Amino acid sequence: MSGNFWKFGIAAALVLLPASIALAQDALDADQTAALCHGGGSICVSAKIPAARTQAVQSWMSPDVGAAWAAGYKGQGVTITIVDDFSSSSRFSGNFGIGTQYQRHGEWTREEASMIAPSATIRSKDFSTGSAVSLASGRNVLNLSYGMYASAGYGVNQIGWAPEEKSIISYATWGSAVVSKAAGNDSVAVGGVTGGQQDYLDLALIGKPTAIFVGALSTNGTTSNKAQLAWYSNYAGSNTAVQSHFLVVGVEGNKTGLYGTSFAAPIISGYAAIIGSKFTSATPVQITNDLLNTARTDTLVNYNPAVYGKGEASLSRALAPVAIH
């Protein structure tokens, strides 16, 4: 089977965001990076990221982010590649604490990752090109705030992947990059059927050493004010291979106007970069395992691995060891 997919990226935001969403006319000068990515481009080095180098802890972030920055860990030496929409005419509004903006889905996820890890190198890959994702030298993180949906019932080995997803799956399989994958917004288990469709990119990443599925909490959790899964978020489900690679983070859309697991994945991408900036000889497998093994369960309402997987990602705990193995 090949050629019958539809990509799910901006749909996450369009379904869940307020009625302020509207379409804008294409304007190549509105975002130089999108223009560079448009029409057959492969990797586009970010030419314009409004929030990049904005180093102020925002109210939607976990306080752990500020503590990591204060210790000198901001993602330096790590490259985050955002695979997303950088060329469509679809834009919507939100506010990450630096003023209301009107951007494409990929511009939002890129900005979020750059705000969590302001010293990381951020690269943009337009997912409409279908070309293979290339890795930078050094440590790499890939952010996937989209899915690949087709009629349910096929086996992963029946899928004829484009070079883009084929390269991503390969990196997750061989541990070449940390892959942060949005869990989805259908309130089903990862890989589950919704409307007769399945996300085959989810299915292909299950069991891969450096793939992390990321669900959304309605807020950042604390031991005194525990968080619960956002109503829309997909959950880990009964598959232990998913549970062992599933994390949740707070997506405080009441503060940003941005809802969906699309905005959970870039937080984990930023955390992975921050961890890589402390543990500079760590492999992607080691960074992935550090994030998974240090997740918290005491900040979650009625913790259950079938819902929350490993738990809420804890950047402070992940950075605590002297070394990771």
Side-chain angles (χ1 to χ4, degrees):
M1 173 193 173
S2 62
N4 294 318
F5 285 108
W6 60 280
K7 280 192 174 174
F8 177 92
I10 37 181
L14 294 179
V15 168
L16 297 168
L17 283 173
S20 57
I21 301 168
L23 296 180
Q25 296 296 317
D26 277 321
L28 291 181
D29 61 347
D31 177 64
Q32 283 93 19
T33 301
L36 288 172
C37 290
H38 186 72
S42 180
I43 289 289
C44 316
V45 178
S46 297
K48 178 184 177 186
I49 307 176
R53 312 301 177 258
T54 298
Q55 297 183 20
V57 177
Q58 303 297 329
S59 63
W60 53 268
M61 296 179 183
S62 165
D64 284 0
V65 174
W69 294 355
Y73 308 124
K74 300 181 179 182
Q76 58 271 28
V78 180
T79 298
I80 304 174
T81 299
I82 310 295
V83 185
D84 212 311
D85 169 36
F86 294 97
S87 62
S88 80
S89 61
S90 180
R91 294 186 173 92
F92 50 92
S93 64
N95 187 342
F96 276 137
I98 57 173
T100 299
Q101 298 177 84
Y102 197 64
Q103 302 190 104
R104 297 177 178 91
H105 191 267
E107 292 156 12
W108 280 118
T109 56
R110 179 182 67 195
E111 182 169 79
E112 185 179 25
S114 74
M115 292 181 74
I116 294 289
S119 295
T121 297
I122 308 292
R123 300 205 300 177
S124 309
K125 169 70 167 66
D126 190 271
F127 65 16
S128 69
T129 65
S131 56
V133 178
S134 63
L135 299 181
S137 59
R139 295 173 299 287
N140 284 266
V141 179
L142 304 182
N143 190 86
L144 313 179
S145 289
Y146 72 97
M148 295 293 288
Y149 281 74
S151 297
Y154 292 96
V156 172
N157 60 357
Q158 294 178 276
I159 305 301
W161 294 107
E164 185 168 71
E165 282 69 41
K166 187 175 182 180
S167 65
I168 291 167
I169 295 164
S170 175
Y171 298 144
T173 301
W174 298 108
S176 306
V178 178
V179 177
S180 178
K181 170 71 169 68
N185 303 321
D186 300 304
S187 302
V188 299
V190 168
V193 178
T194 177
Q197 305 277 321
Q198 282 180 289
D199 180 352
Y200 285 91
L201 187 53
D202 271 354
L203 293 173
L205 290 172
I206 292 173
K208 303 302 187 283
T210 56
I212 301 175
F213 301 102
V214 191
L217 301 171
S218 55
T219 186
N220 293 297
T222 66
T223 54
S224 60
N225 188 17
K226 297 185 179 185
Q228 58 186 355
L229 199 72
W231 65 268
Y232 53 80
S233 180
N234 285 2
Y235 48 89
S238 59
N239 187 336
T240 56
V242 176
Q243 292 178 11
S244 66
H245 279 252
F246 189 97
L247 292 173
V248 288
V249 293
V251 176
E252 300 193 346
N254 59 314
K255 297 177 180 178
T256 65
L258 301 165
Y259 296 83
T261 59
S262 284
F263 303 104
I267 294 175
I268 290 298
S269 293
Y271 285 7
I274 287 173
I275 293 166
S277 67
K278 175 178 181 178
F279 304 112
T280 56
S281 61
T283 66
V285 172
Q286 290 170 335
I287 292 171
T288 300
N289 289 340
D290 186 40
L291 271 167
L292 293 167
N293 293 335
T294 57
R296 303 188 67 152
T297 61
D298 59 343
T299 58
L300 300 171
V301 174
N302 299 323
Y303 169 73
N304 182 335
V307 177
Y308 299 110
K310 296 290 284 186
E312 183 174 9
S314 173
L315 184 58
S316 61
R317 291 188 177 191
L319 289 172
V322 174
I324 57 176
H325 306 284

